Amino acid sequence: MKVAIVTGASKGIGKAIAIKLKNEGYTVVSISRSKAEVGDIIYEADVTDKENDFRIVKEVYEKFGRIDVLVNNAGFGIYGSFLETPLDEEEYMIKTLFIAPLYFIKSVYPIMVSQREGSIVNIVSEAAYVATPKLIVYSAAKAGLAQFTNALWAEAKKYNVNVSGIY
């Protein structure tokens, strides 16, 4: 049995990934702010809550004894000029797009290292490399995630843990 955790699994890319993994025989753990329809275990949760993220990973690991795939997909964007967009919304977006993936990776990575296998997939964005004026903070957060992904890939390969970014 292979176990996959997918954040942002209630709609769009996250839902499609959860369906694909389910169809490939994975036990799917879906996490999203609004209730997901696909998943063997479904958590309605805010991924920016660090303690909750670590608790979820711990529960999944205790239940199944392994975690094979983590897909960090949760996210949203604020479209508008930097002058117009509220700072508190930008901070929340950075936590969702960059900090929350770190929480999940920090909790899952040691498990995958001990298993000597696993895959971490970060949904990045082309905006990480082609910044647009109306998506300044979004682009910056995704660029940070892209560079983190590249650096972790170099570290993790010696443990047979695959780290990749989807752009």
Side-chain angles (χ1 to χ4, degrees):
M1 168 187 44
K2 299 278 187 171
V3 178
I5 296 173
V6 181
T7 70
S10 63
K11 58 186 174 188
I13 293 169
K15 182 177 181 180
I17 291 168
I19 290 168
K20 175 80 170 150
L21 288 167
K22 187 80 180 127
N23 289 341
E24 290 183 8
Y26 282 81
T27 297
V28 175
V29 178
S30 295
I31 305 166
S32 55
R33 283 182 293 184
S34 56
K35 188 139 172 100
E37 299 169 5
V38 179
D40 298 287
I41 298 177
I42 297 172
Y43 287 94
E44 194 171 335
D46 182 344
V47 295
T48 67
D49 182 337
K50 177 174 56 177
E51 286 76 25
N52 201 39
D53 296 348
F54 277 82
R55 179 189 58 78
I56 289 169
V57 170
K58 182 179 180 198
E59 286 178 8
V60 170
Y61 183 67
E62 286 175 351
K63 181 171 180 81
F64 298 107
R66 63 183 302 108
I67 297 172
D68 300 282
V69 175
L70 168 65
V71 179
N72 282 309
N73 171 71
F76 70 96
I78 302 169
Y79 188 80
S81 76
F82 188 66
L83 282 172
E84 298 167 344
T85 51
L87 181 59
D88 61 334
E89 289 180 31
E90 292 167 338
E91 289 173 331
Y92 185 68
M93 185 172 56
I94 290 167
K95 280 191 82 173
T96 303
L97 299 176
F98 182 68
I99 304 299
L102 299 185
Y103 295 159
F104 279 99
I105 293 167
K106 195 70 162 176
S107 60
V108 165
Y109 186 46
I111 294 166
M112 292 180 174
V113 167
S114 72
Q115 295 171 169
R116 302 294 290 177
E117 67 177 336
S119 294
I120 297 169
V121 179
N122 293 323
I123 305 301
V124 187
S125 173
E126 208 171 285
Y129 299 104
V130 183
T132 54
K134 297 286 187 174
L135 292 170
I136 293 171
V137 176
Y138 177 87
S139 294
K142 288 295 190 173
L145 184 60
Q147 291 307 313
F148 174 83
T149 301
N150 293 340
L152 186 60
W153 170 83
E155 175 184 307
K157 64 183 180 177
K158 69 183 171 192
Y159 302 112
N160 199 36
V161 175
N162 183 47
V163 179
S164 57
I166 307 294
Y167 300 88

